[in-house]
Amino acid sequence: MKIAVDAMGGDFAPQSVIEGVLQARSELTDVEFTLYGDEAQIKPLIDDMTRLTIVHTTEKITSEDEPVRAIRRKKQASMVLAAQAVKDGEADALFSLGNTGALLAAGLFVIGRIKGIDRPGLMPTLPAINSDLGFNMLDVGANAEAKPEHLHQYGLMGNFYAQDVRGIQKPRIGLLNNGTEAGKGDELHKAAHQLLADDLTLNFIGNVEASELLKGVADVVVTDGFTGNATLKAIEGTATIVMSQVKHAIMDAGVKEKIGGLLLKKSVGGIRDKFDTSVYGGAVLLGLKAPVVKAHGAADGRTVYYTVRQIHAMLANQTIQKVIDYFDQQNSPKETD
Amino acid sequence: MKIAVDAMGGDFAPQSVIEGVLQARSELTDVEFTLYGDEAQIKPLIDDMTRLTIVHTTEKITSEDEPVRAIRRKKQASMVLAAQAVKDGEADALFSLGNTGALLAAGLFVIGRIKGIDRPGLMPTLPAINSDLGFNMLDVGANAEAKPEHLHQYGLMGNFYAQDVRGIQKPRIGLLNNGTEAGKGDELHKAAHQLLADDLTLNFIGNVEASELLKGVADVVVTDGFTGNATLKAIEGTATIVMSQVKHAIMDAGVKEKIGGLLLKKSVGGIRDKFDTSVYGGAVLLGLKAPVVKAHGAADGRTVYYTVRQIHAMLANQTIQKVIDYFDQQNSPKETD
């Protein structure tokens, strides 16, 4: 299998990207990498070119670029060339740490949607205190206007992913709503609840509330992109602020607290590890014809390494092919008895 | 001024309610209280009946009751009688720790909406790390289906509240959205942004993201009830879980950590205080003809005390009257030059 890597995306590119790719290469011997980016910057970071190819380009998409315009105009950008390689069948998956909107646009306009999927969804894996597997949530913002069918499709796609990549046989699918009772929510969520409940291929557990997500109440949390975006950011922002307050309390207090702080450093560090999502890899843009995965712009080599492992798991399990086949079957004319 | 108190709402009623009311009474000498509930339970908790009246009833609304049905059928429930007293002009404000949905229904169907306000919004005050004043957010779930005008009205009402009760001269009004740029969001939020930006009576600072709320990015955060509900629950759930992880790390670790834990107990307790919202009082149901305030069901006497202070501030500043006057003026036929 071959992964097209946008080597120039992210805050520490290409350094962090190459670091993670090299670590993954030594472990995953069936993966080849094509690195898109500035050869002058990339080459010095690599001693051994085994299963690595560099496709040189100096153009790149920045975090300030307007996504759709950037994809249309910067035809030689590392992200666009990498997407084109997937489109042309020269690579099986696309990986970038760059501009999320641009990656979404590259996925939609270059690689293309799976037939039958109306709106791809962006799906990160988040931590859950009761499980090392965490939970998935989608859509967290690929798509601001959702219809009930989109949410149903998110449930189906998340289900395949959780089975293949997280190894959960019957993932618990929950619908993010403003109460747990079946009749809760606005029209969108009431209708989505009905579609999910009627789909007997899914282990749908009903509505879940945002307060319960980190407790691991569901394996896959289905939500519209607007609510999912706010919920994800609220979780991330709150965890960051509370942990920084803890750190301040430990570090900035009086001498007594400083002594306590040193002793506690390790165990409080353990909490940080608990909420460390690096091991889950990046956010998957589910609904495209190939795995398209976005790692955080600030990701280090370790996160890049785990993201390659995540992509490897999707390719080895043919997760996207399963989604394609499923929707093909749904859309094919029904046979008569 | 007279406050109608549902003495039977909440997990520790009537004990916690009476405790807080008595503390507030000794400080706020211009307030009279009418307590609605079971006299046999309430009376023994009170030595001195100065500025207190008990209206006896044994009927009450539980947290399991279906809100609208409960309001319509349990006519003698403490919450309904208290709402009726406000409707009849016998009291100036309604305070309850009971079923939120039922209080919303009592507010809407007994007390009634302000003319010109389409949908009242539920507005808690949340903590912000840069300010002891915290920030307000509305709607957090009174109304699942929102229109742009509702969000504009939330901004206007939140503005009056933040000026009067929190003493902020020009409250920064932010719109919760999925990005900070002006063009962000779905149709609802794009249109709401336009209405808020066009309203020159407001100090509208544009879009804010859920990750920035606890940093105090805005004084009043305007949101639709569905997104606001998920965001509030995500913040509360995440803060609770992270703090419980910290506590576990301190308490359950080895001896070294235990020593550190004792030393740190005080400073980590300080973090908890930072996120303690009791001092802000309860959540206001803004848009009704009188102050209707809901404190958390698990609230103790201290929270009840602060909530009475909050109601006192709204009454002393005639905050609701200002909202009534404002919308009266907006709706009156325009004069021609």
Side-chain angles (χ1 to χ4, degrees), chain A residues 129 141 144-145 176-179 184-190 209-215 223-227 229-239 241-247 249-250 253 256-257 259-261 263-264 266-268 271 274-275, chain B residues 129 141 144-145 176-179 184-190 209-215 223-227 229-239 241-247 249-250 253 256-257 259-261 263-264 266-268 271 274-275:
Chain A
I129 53 167
E145 306 272 3
L176 184 62
N177 210 328
N178 60 2
K184 280 283 179 177
D186 53 8
E187 291 309 318
L188 169 66
H189 292 86
K190 281 178 193 164
E209 294 187 278
S211 47
E212 308 300 305
L213 302 185
L214 294 184
K215 293 182 190 163
T223 175
D224 66 284
F226 195 87
T227 311
N229 189 270
T231 302
L232 175 66
K233 286 174 180 166
I235 289 173
E236 289 179 342
T238 305
I241 282 176
V242 174
M243 284 307 293
S244 82
Q245 295 287 314
V246 169
K247 205 180 151 192
I250 290 174
K256 270 167 80 179
E257 282 77 4
I259 297 167
L263 296 175
L264 269 168
K266 208 182 133 203
S267 55
V268 173
I271 307 164
K274 187 87 196 173
F275 291 103
Chain B
I129 53 168
E145 306 272 2
L176 184 62
N177 210 329
N178 60 4
K184 281 282 180 176
D186 54 8
E187 292 309 318
L188 169 65
H189 293 85
K190 282 180 194 164
E209 294 187 278
S211 47
E212 308 300 307
L213 302 185
L214 295 184
K215 293 182 189 162
T223 175
D224 66 285
F226 195 87
T227 311
N229 189 269
T231 302
L232 174 67
K233 286 174 180 167
I235 289 173
E236 289 178 342
T238 305
I241 283 175
V242 174
M243 284 306 293
S244 84
Q245 295 287 316
V246 169
K247 205 180 151 191
I250 290 173
K256 271 167 76 180
E257 282 77 3
I259 297 167
L263 296 176
L264 269 169
K266 207 183 134 205
S267 56
V268 173
I271 307 164
K274 187 86 196 170
F275 291 103

Side-chain angles (χ1 to χ4, degrees), chain A residues 65-74 101-102 104-106 108-109:
Chain A
D65 275 323
E66 197 284 310
V68 177
R69 195 181 308 147
I71 292 301
R72 294 205 190 278
R73 298 207 181 155
K74 292 187 165 179
L104 174 56
L108 282 170
F109 301 128

